[in-house]
Amino acid sequence: MAKKITPKNKPSKKSVSADFDIVPNGSNESWLYSKVVKEHFFHPKNLVTDASKMTGYDGLGMVGSPACGDMMKIWIKVDKKNDRITDMKWQTFGCASAIGATSMLSVMVTEKKGMLIDKALTVKPQDITKRLGGLPTRKIHCSVLGDKALRSAINNYFLRSGQKHRLVEEQSRIIDKVAKVTDHDIEEAVLEGASTLEAVQKKTKVGIGNPSVIPEVEQLIRFYQEKYFG
Amino acid sequence: MSAKKYIYLDHAATTPTDSKVVQAMEPYWYQNFGNPSSLYALGQRANKSLELARQDIAKILKSQSEEIIFTGGGTESINLALKGLIHALRPQVPQAHLIVSAIEHHAVLHAAQSLRKEGTEVSIAPVDADGLIIMAQLAAAIKPNTVLISIMLANNEVGTIEPIQKIGVWLAKLNQTRLSKHLPKIYLHTDACQAAGALDLDVQKLHVDLLTLNGSKIYGPKGIGVLYVRRATPLIPIIDGGGKEKNLRSGTENMPAIIGLAAALKIAQKNRLKENARLTKLRDWLIKNILQTIPKTILNGHASYRLPNNVNISILDMEGEALLLYLDDVGIQASTGSACTSATLEPSHVIRALGRPYEAAHGSLRLTLGKSTTLKNLKYLMTKLPGIVKYLRQASPVIVDMVELNQSIKDAPKKIIDL
């Protein structure tokens, strides 16, 4: 595993020199995010700043794309004897909540001798959100990539270490055959703030040409609402 | 409280109110608080001030003062222009057609969507890679039932200045042919909110029938707008009430704000050319420095047909919200087209309309200069920006191929979209 990396080019935190014209009104007083998010955003833990130096890891996972606004890469090191994750490093393209959430995830996974693999597979976005002291509602979707990237890294570890029987599949099920919309698409829509059938339809077109699936869609919306915002 | 000072580079979002404007507004809170509709002296005094403010604005717009309607802001003026006109024409043109540009403010786009729901046909006309309206496509979008075109005078995000005068002259000619064919006249509305402090607002030169402007972008108060309505332009109110403002905008006139808006517009227009020259120099210095110092950056918007205070640059391989928060931490206020900062989680429709891919919208940085901006401010910004960008890029797994990116901008389709 690469040695602990500290960001080298971190912007100086020295205060602004005192000769600018507009007087502040306590620019520190209100921040969109919690103190914990702020801490993890400005001082990310386990962040990789030079991916070319990342060698000796046991699993590598990547999810998202720059087009959708968030992309995440996770490296893990595993204590094979005890089946625990001993180190997790990451890179993230995204906003403060995405960066904060990945940083927090890396802490959760590696604290107290490291998390058991089986437990790491069950980490949910709201576990991370909770530890962050909450996220603004419309930012919650930024935290959901972390657990997916972690599962992807664990799967990669399973593959590399010949444990194919342990591979976990990210399941998605077609709900609307006409519009080719999966339960995963509905989950995404809910995470992006669609809380009604109409709003989800606007994003996914689910059930518009196929009204028979609407009761199931409504049930899924309630389920994901409960899961993420309940 | 910390003694940290800050540099405000978000004048396109809003401007601080000029102290002279506040001074002009002052008597209208306590002494001269009357309702302009009241018959006694206090009311009539207010009415006189109201009409003087209207005349001041009319003088700048080269219009008649009865063509100036006060509203509750830019968004309201736009809604009144679009909905008011199409509703007024309904008896003659029950199924009207409206054309808006792809880079309009949400006030225009969402008003258009709302009209679409009522049955109005709406076309969105494309802009080129610099944000200029494509005239051939605009012409192609026109239908027999077209009654209104709404194109902004200058764009709020990328600063591109649209050729409204050219469009206005062309439309006047086109309307003559349409008249002979018994087709409805096409009216022209321009949203001049962002342009009001920098450009000539002469409605005769611009050949517009409707023009929107507001106070909050020109060092005036917020919550006050103007709609210029050329005589004989059909319009019905969108708010019902006691019938103020030629029955187009009911509600007791917001006197302090009206006085403030008139004062702000006078100051802005008086200093316009001098301030434009100063800001253009600063703008070009900043654009050149960012593009030269930071690799993988592209300018959004036209290089010269551009508001003097607007800098909008996409910085690839990093995300805009994270950049804004780091800039805020060193005392600089800016803005981005990243999805992460929008309520809809959609990246800027303006940067997308220029043919830029999502990556470029997510990494866009808008810096809008103002009266208080100095070269020293910008030099300070340049001591911080490159380091923050470098750090965020190191922390990001994304590496965009610039050759592919430029190709995709070139290949981006420029089509009329019918809603």
Side-chain angles (χ1 to χ4, degrees):
Chain A
M1 189 71 200
K3 60 179 164 44
K4 294 277 177 199
I5 298 149
T6 42
K8 274 180 227 108
N9 290 292
K10 198 156 166 72
S12 152
K13 309 274 297 177
K14 263 190 278 168
S15 75
V16 181
S17 53
D19 49 8
F20 295 104
D21 40 7
I22 304 174
V23 184
N25 279 317
S27 29
N28 289 330
E29 65 196 18
S30 81
W31 225 69
L32 181 63
Y33 300 109
S34 73
K35 271 191 183 147
V36 189
V37 178
K38 191 173 178 176
E39 166 63 21
H40 278 267
F41 174 62
F42 283 117
H43 307 283
K45 318 287 180 259
N46 301 307
L47 172 68
V48 170
T49 51
D50 186 354
S52 67
K53 291 200 183 118
M54 292 303 295
T55 49
Y57 53 87
D58 301 308
L60 169 62
M62 183 140 91
V63 290
S65 81
C68 72
D70 289 295
M71 184 166 170
M72 217 165 268
K73 201 168 175 178
I74 283 179
W75 293 260
I76 54 167
K77 188 152 176 73
V78 180
D79 167 4
K80 292 173 185 87
K81 204 173 109 208
N82 295 307
D83 209 34
R84 281 177 188 276
I85 298 173
T86 54
D87 205 353
M88 175 190 143
K89 293 273 189 280
W90 56 274
Q91 279 191 316
T92 287
F93 169 94
C95 58
S97 36
I99 290 174
T102 335
S103 175
M104 179 51 89
L105 175 68
S106 75
V107 170
M108 290 163 65
V109 166
T110 54
E111 68 193 355
K112 295 175 199 152
K113 288 191 283 181
M115 197 179 265
L116 283 168
I117 293 263
D118 285 335
K119 195 172 170 221
L121 286 169
T122 66
V123 170
K124 294 189 295 291
Q126 58 267 47
D127 299 335
I128 307 172
T129 317
K130 213 179 190 176
R131 282 284 297 267
L132 285 171
L135 281 175
T137 310
R138 64 185 187 84
K139 288 288 186 178
I140 287 185
H141 84 116
C142 305
S143 69
V144 302
L145 279 186
D147 63 304
K148 279 183 196 145
L150 177 62
R151 279 196 296 280
S152 143
I154 294 173
N155 270 337
N156 181 254
Y157 159 67
F158 288 155
L159 272 177
R160 286 158 171 256
S161 58
Q163 306 182 66
K164 279 199 179 145
H165 60 284
R166 291 183 78 188
L167 282 177
V168 229
E169 272 180 54
E170 291 286 343
Q171 288 164 347
S172 70
R173 187 165 56 90
I174 297 255
I175 303 295
D176 183 342
K177 280 182 199 146
V178 182
K180 292 198 178 56
V181 175
T182 66
D183 54 351
H184 177 70
D185 296 326
I186 294 166
E187 182 178 6
E188 286 285 305
V190 171
L191 276 166
E192 284 169 12
S195 56
T196 61
L197 175 66
E198 201 196 4
V200 171
Q201 283 186 321
K202 214 173 150 189
K203 284 185 184 290
T204 65
K205 311 269 178 278
V206 68
I208 285 174
N210 191 7
S212 64
V213 303
I214 284 175
E216 193 182 0
V217 174
E218 283 180 319
Q219 208 175 357
L220 281 168
I221 295 170
R222 273 195 298 277
F223 172 75
Y224 290 124
Q225 277 284 74
E226 187 65 26
K227 181 173 170 192
Y228 295 112
F229 306 107
Chain B
M1 196 183 292
S2 84
K4 192 165 121 180
K5 300 208 172 183
Y6 71 87
I7 299 170
Y8 184 71
L9 292 175
D10 204 12
H11 289 84
T14 191
T15 46
T17 314
D18 189 301
S19 59
K20 283 192 198 118
V21 170
V22 176
Q23 226 170 23
M25 292 166 72
E26 176 76 89
Y28 294 87
W29 301 107
Y30 291 108
Q31 295 137 275
N32 205 354
F33 66 88
N35 185 329
S37 300
S38 302
L39 287 176
Y40 40 80
L42 183 71
Q44 286 313 297
R45 215 163 48 230
N47 191 46
K48 201 176 164 198
S49 306
L50 172 66
E51 293 315 317
L52 282 176
R54 208 189 296 282
Q55 279 169 26
D56 283 345
I57 293 170
K59 222 180 271 170
I60 289 166
L61 269 58
K62 307 282 189 291
S63 74
Q64 302 297 314
S65 61
E66 57 270 26
E67 294 173 315
I68 303 297
I69 304 296
F70 290 110
T71 70
T75 298
E76 193 193 314
S77 290
I78 287 166
N79 272 270
L80 176 58
L82 270 58
K83 294 174 186 169
L85 183 101
I86 284 174
H87 290 171
L89 285 171
R90 206 157 264 172
Q92 297 99 295
V93 194
Q95 174 83 52
H97 174 236
L98 160 71
I99 303 171
V100 301
S101 91
I103 58 168
E104 292 302 302
H105 190 272
H106 279 135
V108 169
L109 293 176
H110 290 172
Q113 270 167 14
S114 149
L115 282 163
R116 178 73 196 95
K117 277 188 193 152
E118 295 173 6
T120 308
E121 293 169 30
V122 178
S123 299
I124 298 182
V127 295
D128 68 14
D130 292 328
L132 285 172
I133 192 89
I134 303 171
M135 290 299 286
Q137 296 272 40
L138 180 64
I142 287 176
K143 299 184 191 180
N145 57 339
T146 306
V147 296
L148 178 62
I149 294 177
S150 185
I151 296 173
M152 63 205 332
L153 192 48
N155 182 266
N156 52 313
E157 287 190 39
V158 298
T160 300
I161 298 169
E162 299 298 337
I164 296 302
Q165 184 178 6
K166 194 170 141 195
I167 296 167
V169 171
W170 163 74
L171 211 50
K173 266 193 211 143
L174 183 72
N175 275 329
Q176 282 177 359
T177 14
R178 283 174 72 91
L179 192 72
S180 64
K181 289 183 194 161
H182 303 287
L183 291 173
K185 177 181 171 176
I186 302 172
Y187 293 88
L188 178 60
H189 168 250
T190 192
D191 166 8
C193 289
Q194 207 60 233
L199 303 183
D200 189 352
L201 299 177
D202 183 334
V203 292
Q204 312 308 340
K205 271 194 217 158
L206 289 171
H207 289 77
V208 292
D209 304 291
L210 297 149
L211 178 142
T212 287
L213 57 91
N214 68 355
S216 83
K217 318 282 189 199
I218 53 169
Y219 305 88
K222 295 167 181 61
I224 184 74
V226 157
L227 182 64
Y228 157 76
V229 185
R230 186 178 290 275
R231 212 178 279 172
T233 303
L235 212 61
I236 56 174
I238 51 171
I239 296 173
D240 296 314
K244 306 260 179 138
E245 297 295 298
K246 289 182 73 199
N247 204 16
L248 283 174
R249 208 288 185 171
S250 288
T252 304
E253 290 86 350
N254 184 353
M255 284 304 295
I258 287 170
I259 300 299
L261 170 62
L265 191 64
K266 268 203 284 188
I267 298 170
Q269 286 282 320
K270 195 179 128 215
N271 301 334
R272 179 169 78 85
L273 297 177
K274 209 172 140 199
E275 183 65 356
N276 283 356
R278 189 186 76 89
L279 288 174
T280 303
K281 239 191 240 172
L282 290 178
R283 175 196 77 188
D284 292 343
W285 182 91
L286 186 56
I287 291 175
K288 194 175 129 215
N289 265 271
I290 296 178
L291 294 180
Q292 279 178 358
T293 319
I294 305 175
K296 299 181 87 171
T297 43
I298 49 172
L299 179 67
N300 296 315
H302 200 282
S304 52
Y305 294 130
R306 183 180 199 96
L307 285 176
N309 74 333
N310 178 291
V311 174
N312 190 314
I313 287 176
S314 283
I315 305 175
L316 280 304
D317 298 346
M318 46 128 264
E319 192 278 325
E321 193 215 61
L323 176 64
L324 288 201
L325 294 171
Y326 269 104
L327 283 174
D328 184 34
D329 194 51
V330 294
I332 297 160
Q333 271 100 52
S335 167
T336 173
S338 168
C340 290
T341 57
S342 75
T344 51
L345 296 170
E346 282 292 324
S348 159
H349 68 281
V350 175
I351 295 183
R352 295 278 297 127
L354 309 186
R356 269 65 167 157
Y358 283 104
E359 290 89 324
H362 287 305
S364 69
L365 173 66
R366 182 185 73 177
L367 301 154
T368 41
L369 325 181
K371 271 189 207 177
S372 64
T373 313
T374 61
L375 184 61
K376 201 170 171 187
N377 294 164
L378 302 184
K379 282 185 174 160
Y380 169 75
L381 164 73
M382 289 311 295
T383 65
K384 299 290 176 189
L385 184 64
I388 297 172
V389 169
K390 194 169 176 194
Y391 171 63
L392 286 173
R393 279 178 172 168
Q394 283 177 337
S396 153
V398 173
I399 296 170
V400 173
D401 183 326
M402 292 306 278
V403 178
E404 272 174 38
L405 180 92
N406 286 321
Q407 193 58 44
S408 80
I409 293 172
K410 239 186 237 164
D411 297 345
K414 300 288 183 191
K415 282 190 207 137
I416 301 162
I417 297 165
D418 290 320
L419 283 190

